[in-house]
Amino acid sequence: MNKFTTLSGIAAPLPLINIDTDMIIPKQFLKTIKRSGLGVNLFDEMRYDDDRNEIPEFVLNKPQYRDAQILVAGDNFGCGSSREHAPWAIADFGITCVIAPSYADIFYSNCFKNGILPIALPQEQVDILMKDAEKGANARIEIDLETQTITSSDGEVFTFDVDPFKKHCLMNGLDDIGLTMEKAASIDSFEANASQARPWV
């Protein structure tokens, strides 16, 4: 998993509430167990018409937002089923930070496990960043995880809370496997001792 320390990127505005995981990645794309390749189907039913042509009005289809790394969204983002494919699709598209007033709990946790920083801010602050994002590619939002700050393109600074353990994992690029591998020496020692004590196992 890539480390997340700082980010200066284009933010795409998606001012919708209750964006559920089926909107993020529809159920027909859940057959894969790979984390890659799902970005093209992110928000599939909003991005494409029935003939698989892009819908020009959808934000991520607009030229100024095709390289967005930040998504500014409405309340209760990631609700619905607990599919981990949702953060997989977001990350595969290239978005590594989501800013919203609130999140569904499981989606929120899954983001950290997949290298995405989900930031919860009061609605009035999200509204300011939403307007900032609407400026397009010339407006870059800066995020510093170490100082837990967001700086708008106009220089306005907001602070955000994040669990210290989740912050540690993101800053060091540690998913569940990475956390386990940090204990590799202890695990090897335990296995060696157990093998000597119980060679029949």
Side-chain angles (χ1 to χ4, degrees):
M1 191 171 81
N2 293 330
K3 296 179 180 180
F4 188 113
T5 52
T6 60
L7 172 64
S8 176
I10 298 165
L14 192 61
L16 301 174
I17 64 170
N18 301 321
I19 295 175
D20 64 33
T21 52
D22 194 57
M23 293 169 68
I24 296 170
I25 184 72
K27 57 185 179 301
Q28 63 266 32
F29 302 110
L30 304 185
K31 298 175 183 177
T32 182
I33 57 172
K34 295 180 180 179
R35 298 188 185 194
S36 60
L38 289 171
V40 68
N41 301 118
L42 177 66
F43 298 117
D44 193 87
E45 294 176 359
M46 291 189 281
R47 282 173 73 188
Y48 306 103
D49 62 22
D50 292 340
D51 295 320
R52 302 303 298 167
N53 298 310
E54 288 188 352
I55 299 171
E57 293 78 18
F58 184 67
V59 63
L60 296 182
N61 290 337
K62 294 180 180 180
Q64 62 268 40
Y65 296 115
R66 286 185 180 273
D67 296 321
Q69 294 174 280
I70 302 165
L71 185 66
V72 184
D75 198 30
N76 198 29
F77 190 88
C79 57
S81 69
S82 59
R83 63 191 69 169
E84 196 168 3
H85 292 69
W88 290 358
I90 290 171
D92 191 62
F93 182 86
I95 292 171
T96 54
C97 178
V98 181
I99 301 171
S102 68
Y103 300 85
D105 290 342
I106 295 176
F107 174 84
Y108 183 81
S109 296
N110 282 339
C111 280
F112 287 99
K113 295 177 181 180
N114 289 282
I116 300 168
L117 174 62
I119 298 175
L121 291 177
Q123 183 66 60
E124 58 269 22
Q125 295 182 8
V126 173
D127 290 342
I128 292 170
L129 292 171
M130 190 76 72
K131 290 180 181 177
D132 198 32
E134 289 170 356
K135 296 176 183 176
N138 292 326
R140 301 182 74 86
I141 291 176
E142 297 183 3
I143 297 163
D144 189 320
L145 181 53
E146 175 63 34
T147 60
Q148 296 176 209
T149 57
I150 302 171
T151 305
S152 73
S153 65
D154 295 325
E156 192 167 0
V157 179
F158 305 99
T159 60
F160 61 90
D161 294 326
V162 62
D163 177 82
F165 176 71
K166 288 181 169 65
K167 177 179 178 178
H168 167 78
C169 290
L170 266 187
M171 293 195 69
N172 291 280
L174 298 172
D175 56 11
D176 289 345
I177 295 173
L179 286 168
T180 300
M181 294 309 296
E182 279 193 320
K183 307 296 182 182
S186 298
I187 293 170
D188 290 343
S189 176
F190 174 84
E191 292 289 346
N193 291 335
S195 179
Q196 288 183 350
R198 295 173 293 171
W200 59 88
V201 175

